[in-house]
Amino acid sequence: MDFKQLAQKYQTPLYVYDFAHFSEQFNKLKEAFKARKSLICYAIKANSNLSVIKHFANLQSGADCVSIGEVKRALLAGVPKYKIIFSGVGKRDDEIKEALELDILMINVESQAEMQRIEEIAKSMNKEARISIRVNPNIDPKTHPYISTGLHENKFGVDIDTATRMYLQSKQSDYLNPIGIHFHIGSQLTELEPIKEASQIVADLVRKLQKVDIDIKFFDVGGGLGVQYDDEVLIQPYDYAQAILSTLSGLDVTIVMEPGRYLSANGGYFITSVLYEKQNGDRRFVIVDGAMNDLIRPSLYNAYHKIEVLSDNTQVSKANIVGPVCESGDFFAKDVEVPLTKHGDLVVIHSAGAYGFVMSSNYNTRPRPAEVGIINNQDKLIRKRETFEDLIALEKEYM
Ligand code: LLP
């Protein structure tokens, strides 16, 4: 990818996405599950640019959404309503109502109280809500605590006993139709065993439910497949599929997946330009024009992203790569060996296609970067760079 040319054409900071990589990832995963009925519902929270969602929709992807805004994005981008699921631990009444009006595939329910709410709302609309219950299998996924979700200490889902009770209740209701079951134990998973264990626990529940005539059609294994940021040993799609399939013998279910990071992370690059170099004592800083408001993963999770410095200089030394925001947490990398730079050299941050732009903010009144897609070998602007005017538009009239 010609980062220099892209930076010249679109300025920096800039997000660039390789759509061919997105396709490759999608196809690898789909292929791994070909022995069974499966539906990939791209977790659009990872990268919800409309062109990105549309690209996955064209590959026959569905969408996993966590707000009604995401549901609307998915529909707008061409995802058919019967492939859209709505998850999330705290859905508002208006969101539930709209999801029912839009007649999407199913709502993932995360608590007893939420199920009651959904039932009441469905009743008031004289509709039947298709639901799936998120089971918390109490499995340690062995990932970063902020993105671990499958333990009882986390706020997500309900335990097996509660889930069982909820299925029995929903079966009795005229306004609820339990068609699915769901689990998601965490993100950036690199170990297969916890996924297999969770799948086994949930599949056993499906068998139990079958005996009382509750017929689960969608077995939703969530997302979470890890990607290469550094030197991780990754779960291969084939092994992932085999692990899940091995727990499903005798069950006629459609396997639903909700991958986000796996599909989009490594296709994305964040390009930023060097503003200055400076030395504070024995510490070298490379100050770039991108910042934590644009890409927050290093600051928030201490996440590692591979950094590529495009410099003509061959002299290398340790430096911190930092942004201009007034926080010491505003860094992209610490103590990395990089060449000496001059004003205008580019720094490319890899694996920025997931949880990059979507987690950006306007902190410090910084307009968000533009987004560019490389689509059929051509670069295409898929989101304009924000302007100062965009940032103040909703405030100006009240002054
Ligand atoms: N399904 C559910 C219910 C989820 O909560 C998530 C992610 C996904 C699917 C997609 O997970 P993935 O396949 O992308 O791992 N901001 C964090 C990641 C937060 C993930 C939240 N849930 C990060 O930058 O690492």
Side-chain angles (χ1 to χ4, degrees):
M1 202 171 290
D2 192 342
F3 295 119
K4 279 189 187 157
Q5 191 225 329
L6 289 165
Q8 231 161 38
K9 183 163 172 188
Y10 298 102
Q11 277 74 58
T12 58
L14 178 72
Y15 275 98
V16 179
Y17 308 126
D18 175 3
F19 279 45
H21 177 83
F22 293 166
S23 304
E24 234 173 78
Q25 294 295 96
F26 184 92
N27 293 333
K28 266 194 274 182
L29 194 57
K30 187 72 192 166
E31 175 72 15
F33 282 88
K34 70 171 182 230
R36 286 278 202 144
K37 286 174 285 185
S38 72
L39 173 64
I40 297 179
C41 289
Y42 169 51
I44 69 180
K45 64 160 83 74
N47 184 331
S48 48
N49 183 289
L50 288 172
S51 301
V52 173
I53 304 172
K54 186 173 163 201
H55 182 74
F56 285 117
N58 287 340
L59 296 171
Q60 313 303 318
S61 182
D64 172 46
C65 304
V66 288
S67 69
I68 203 69
E70 285 194 352
V71 171
K72 289 192 225 176
R73 271 184 186 270
L75 286 167
L76 203 61
V79 180
K81 62 181 184 179
Y82 58 85
K83 289 187 187 171
I84 295 178
I85 49 192
F86 184 15
S87 316
V89 79
K91 303 177 198 77
R92 294 190 313 264
D93 288 4
D94 61 294
E95 291 186 299
I96 294 169
K97 184 160 183 275
E98 212 170 336
L100 292 174
E101 271 162 7
L102 292 169
D103 200 29
I104 59 171
L105 174 60
M106 58 189 173
I107 300 181
N108 279 339
V109 182
E110 297 236 11
S111 65
Q112 176 97 45
E114 187 189 35
M115 193 173 85
Q116 262 160 29
R117 203 81 205 152
I118 294 172
E119 186 181 20
E120 279 161 27
I121 295 170
K123 185 173 178 188
S124 74
M125 299 167 72
N126 200 24
K127 280 205 163 204
E128 190 185 68
R130 286 181 295 274
I131 60 164
S132 163
I133 294 172
R134 178 164 178 183
V135 178
N136 181 326
N138 200 24
I139 297 279
D140 183 356
K142 306 195 176 80
T143 182
H144 190 291
Y146 278 22
I147 48 179
S148 154
T149 52
L151 279 168
H152 285 166
E153 67 194 53
N154 303 124
K155 66 181 173 183
F156 302 95
V158 295
D159 60 51
I160 289 279
D161 292 342
T162 311
T164 311
R165 238 180 301 125
M166 285 167 68
Y167 276 110
L168 294 171
Q169 275 168 16
S170 60
K171 167 102 166 119
Q172 299 306 316
S173 168
D174 290 338
Y175 303 100
L176 296 172
N177 183 7
I179 59 167
I181 196 158
H182 176 218
F183 67 93
H184 169 84
I185 59 172
S187 199
Q188 184 55 15
L189 306 178
T190 50
E191 295 206 27
L192 196 49
E193 202 47 41
I195 303 177
K196 189 172 172 180
E197 266 178 67
S199 186
Q200 188 66 60
I201 292 171
V202 177
D204 288 345
L205 178 56
V206 173
R207 290 190 188 93
K208 218 168 95 187
L209 293 171
Q210 254 184 354
K211 293 201 180 106
V212 289
D213 253 4
I214 298 173
D215 188 22
I216 300 296
K217 295 185 179 64
F218 295 95
F219 191 84
D220 181 348
V221 301
L225 270 184
V227 301
Q228 200 90 53
Y229 287 101
D230 193 2
D231 55 3
E232 298 88 347
V233 178
L234 300 181
I235 299 170
Q236 295 305 315
Y238 177 81
D239 300 332
Y240 178 61
Q242 290 311 306
I244 288 167
L245 295 178
S246 73
T247 68
L248 293 179
S249 57
L251 290 178
D252 179 24
V253 287
T254 298
I255 298 157
V256 178
M257 286 161 269
E258 305 171 351
R261 191 188 317 264
Y262 178 80
L263 297 182
S264 66
N266 284 334
Y269 302 85
F270 180 62
I271 309 177
T272 170
S273 302
V274 173
L275 295 172
Y276 313 105
E277 286 235 3
K278 93 182 218 184
Q279 195 82 26
N280 275 355
D282 57 4
R283 182 78 48 151
R284 174 185 162 212
F285 292 93
V286 177
I287 302 162
V288 296
D289 65 359
M292 66 186 286
N293 74 293
D294 304 310
L295 174 67
I296 203 175
R297 299 195 75 258
S299 308
L300 190 58
Y301 311 117
N302 213 7
Y304 172 86
H305 283 255
K306 184 178 149 197
I307 304 257
E308 193 182 342
V309 175
L310 309 182
S311 156
D312 298 333
N313 203 311
T314 49
Q315 211 183 321
V316 171
S317 72
K318 277 202 167 151
N320 289 5
I321 316 280
V322 301
V325 164
C326 48
E327 305 241 5
S328 294
D330 181 24
F331 65 90
F332 291 122
K334 285 183 173 168
D335 280 331
V336 282
E337 292 273 351
V338 289
L340 288 184
T341 63
K342 60 179 187 312
H343 188 89
D345 281 349
L346 296 180
V347 173
V348 179
I349 302 180
H350 288 240
S351 311
Y355 307 110
F357 184 91
V358 284
M359 292 180 81
S360 65
S361 76
N362 294 120
Y363 188 37
N364 283 205
T365 304
R366 290 170 52 87
R368 270 178 280 217
E371 293 176 287
V372 165
I374 309 296
I375 309 169
N376 299 327
N377 294 319
Q378 307 234 310
D379 53 278
K380 184 171 167 246
L381 188 64
I382 57 172
R383 192 183 203 269
K384 270 198 263 186
R385 183 176 300 285
E386 284 178 351
T387 63
F388 173 67
E389 282 302 319
D390 294 331
L391 266 55
I392 59 165
L394 302 177
E395 297 160 45
K396 219 167 40 176
E397 59 186 291
Y398 302 110
M399 276 177 48

